[in-house]
Amino acid sequence: MLLNTFVSADSAVVKTGGKVAEMIKDGRFEELGQQSLTWGIDFLGKLAVALLIFFVGKWIIGKIRKLADKIMSRRQMDIALKGFLKNLLDIFLFVLLVMLIINVVGTQTVSLAALIASAGLAVGLAVKDNLANFAGGVMLLFNKPFKGGDYIEAQNLAGTVQSIGILYTTLTTADNKTIYIPNGPLSTGNIINYNTQTTRRVEITASIEYGTDVDIVKKMLLDIANRHPLVLKDPEPFARMTKMNEDSIDFSLRAWVNLNDFWNVTHDLNEEVYKEINARGLVIPFRQMTVHLANSTEQNAN
């Protein structure tokens, strides 16, 4: 089909070129001028029609986009889904507009259509990897592992979901950086969504020197957790010795909190544990290095 289009276009060009050469050879410059004027007027007329259709079509597309945005807002669609559908709608409407312009201008634009088709084929081959990203975006919207506003971790990156685009998903980090993750790897990789549950568990590790009474440390950690107003009573806080290191014994304090209180409680408990350790005279061990220096006599002997 594409080959036939190229052949037809080439034949038309050869035929026109032959007519022009024949007119020049016979000295029919006046006829050539009239013919050129006719071609020019025909071309300008079609160009004007094409531009008119383009600008009118662009105005109509803008109205359709606003209408679609109102409908999606009225139905309270997820912001990530809205972004994807709006991008898809834009592409569809502009492709439809270009096809309409080519169809209205007439059959003499076969060579232009063939050029656009060949360019589209070349671009398609060049961006074939992005087809996986497009399919990944569709799968993300279908499976819904996250929605706009969720805080996720994926591809060794973490941030709040802003939108799911045609090819990329946009995240905003805690320090206000923007991350673009390709939809293909994102849809096939591991995704941690921190917003799907209503509660989260805070875990604090306290390292104490050997010889410390285990029961005293356990009671201290539980008292700290139970005093905090944002720590949930059910499940109850947990505190036990969990590891014996080379330099210390480690205790874990685990407490459940509401999702939005996670970071505040984490910071509060860390600070309170440190204060209580100092107040009770307990010791936090740290690595030490003992260096033995030989005396000057031994150094001279060596």
Side-chain angles (χ1 to χ4, degrees):
M1 183 67 179
L2 184 60
L3 180 60
N4 293 335
T5 303
F6 278 118
V7 171
S8 300
D10 291 341
S11 300
V13 172
V14 172
K15 186 176 180 181
T16 303
K19 288 182 178 180
V20 172
E22 184 179 349
M23 290 179 185
I24 295 175
K25 182 178 180 180
D26 296 340
R28 293 181 291 168
F29 295 106
E30 183 177 352
E31 182 180 351
L32 178 61
Q34 292 178 353
Q35 191 69 35
S36 299
L37 181 61
T38 302
W39 289 338
I41 293 174
D42 182 63
F43 173 76
L44 290 176
K46 291 182 177 181
L47 179 61
V49 171
L51 290 175
L52 178 63
I53 295 174
F54 175 76
F55 286 111
V56 172
K58 189 176 179 182
W59 178 81
I60 294 174
I61 289 174
K63 294 294 183 182
I64 294 175
R65 290 183 79 254
K66 290 182 179 179
L67 178 61
D69 188 58
K70 288 182 180 179
I71 293 174
M72 287 186 286
S73 298
R74 192 178 305 154
R75 295 187 176 182
Q76 298 182 344
M77 284 188 178
D78 175 54
I79 57 173
L81 177 60
K82 283 175 61 177
F84 185 85
L85 293 179
K86 286 168 69 175
N87 290 337
L88 199 61
L89 181 63
D90 284 344
I91 293 175
F92 173 75
L93 291 177
F94 274 103
V95 169
L96 191 63
L97 178 60
V98 171
M99 293 176 62
L100 177 62
I101 292 174
I102 293 175
N103 185 57
V104 171
V105 167
T107 55
Q108 294 185 7
T109 58
V110 174
S111 58
L112 177 61
L115 180 62
I116 293 175
S118 60
L121 179 62
V123 171
L125 293 174
V127 300
K128 61 181 180 179
D129 292 339
N130 283 330
L131 293 177
N133 292 334
F134 175 78
V138 174
M139 294 303 298
L140 289 173
L141 291 172
F142 180 77
N143 294 323
K144 297 181 180 179
F146 54 80
K147 61 181 184 299
D150 285 352
Y151 188 84
I152 67 169
E153 184 178 340
Q155 302 295 309
N156 296 321
L157 299 168
T160 303
V161 178
Q162 299 300 318
S163 64
I164 301 176
I166 296 294
L167 302 177
Y168 298 91
T169 292
T170 306
L171 306 181
T172 300
T173 63
D175 56 349
N176 209 28
K177 295 177 182 178
T178 301
I179 302 175
Y180 299 92
I181 303 180
N183 289 334
L186 181 60
S187 64
T188 57
N190 296 325
I191 300 174
I192 301 175
N193 191 335
Y194 291 96
N195 289 84
T196 54
Q197 306 298 326
T198 58
T199 58
R200 285 187 65 181
R201 191 182 72 183
V202 175
E203 184 162 353
I204 308 297
T205 300
S207 298
I208 309 295
E209 70 173 351
Y210 276 97
T212 305
D213 192 317
V214 172
D215 293 328
I216 291 177
V217 179
K218 286 167 53 178
K219 185 177 184 305
M220 177 192 73
L221 295 176
L222 289 175
D223 289 342
I224 292 173
N226 288 322
R227 286 199 306 264
H228 200 291
L230 297 180
V231 171
L232 300 178
K233 304 304 179 184
D234 186 19
E236 294 181 351
F238 168 90
R240 294 291 299 270
M241 190 185 82
T242 55
K243 189 175 182 180
M244 291 186 291
N245 292 313
E246 293 181 3
D247 307 300
S248 66
I249 51 177
D250 288 353
F251 293 81
S252 291
L253 170 61
R254 298 169 186 166
W256 288 88
V257 298
N258 290 322
L259 179 65
N260 295 331
D261 298 328
F262 177 80
W263 289 113
N264 287 332
V265 175
T266 298
H267 297 148
D268 290 346
L269 292 185
N270 269 308
E271 292 174 0
E272 288 300 317
V273 168
Y274 179 75
K275 291 177 182 178
E276 282 291 325
I277 288 175
N278 288 330
R280 292 171 180 263
L282 302 178
V283 178
I284 302 175
F286 55 92
R287 287 185 176 272
Q288 302 182 34
M289 178 180 294
T290 302
V291 179
H292 297 277
L293 299 177
N295 56 41
S296 58
T297 305
E298 292 178 348
Q299 289 179 351
N300 293 332
N302 292 333

